[in-house]
Amino acid sequence: MVATVESTLEPTLTLIREEAAGRPVDLRTVLVDGAWERFEAGDLDGYLDAVAAVVDGVAAADVIVLAQASMAGAADRATTTVPVLSSPRAGLNAAAVAAAALS
């Protein structure tokens, strides 16, 4: 999971665990240093580029979850082949349904 504000980490992790519905998940978090300050300063391009750069640096993940709605545009800027979910509840629900179909 990638976030730009530390306060979003725990609520999003809780949401992921709830959506996993007892299935084992290996959760890792990455905080994008300095990105939120760019957002607050009105530098949306700089904010989204910083998030996308971090997303592109994530290795060995099945999926990347963007913890905040403000980060959604970074999914389009990232070049990773790992699926990037930009709406945690809807995206995780879809992932859970897809994972269940594979089981």
Side-chain angles (χ1 to χ4, degrees), residues 32-59:
V32 184
D33 292 327
W36 189 246
E37 291 77 13
R38 289 179 179 178
F39 181 82
E40 289 184 314
D43 180 8
L44 185 59
D45 282 328
Y47 172 73
L48 295 175
D49 287 344
V51 172
V54 168
V55 165
D56 285 338
V58 172

Side-chain angles (χ1 to χ4, degrees), residues 3-37:
T4 63
V5 180
E6 189 170 352
S7 63
T8 63
L9 293 174
E10 196 53 44
T12 306
L13 289 171
T14 298
L15 177 61
I16 292 169
R17 289 182 189 109
E18 288 173 5
E19 291 295 328
R23 291 183 301 273
V25 291
D26 176 23
L27 302 172
R28 290 172 279 149
T29 62
V30 179
L31 191 62
V32 184
D33 292 327
W36 189 246
E37 291 77 13

Side-chain angles (χ1 to χ4, degrees), residues 66-89:
L66 301 180
Q68 299 148 234
S70 63
M71 302 165 70
D76 295 331
R77 295 175 186 225
T79 60
T80 183
T81 58
V82 177
V84 179
L85 306 178
S86 60
S87 177
R89 185 164 298 277

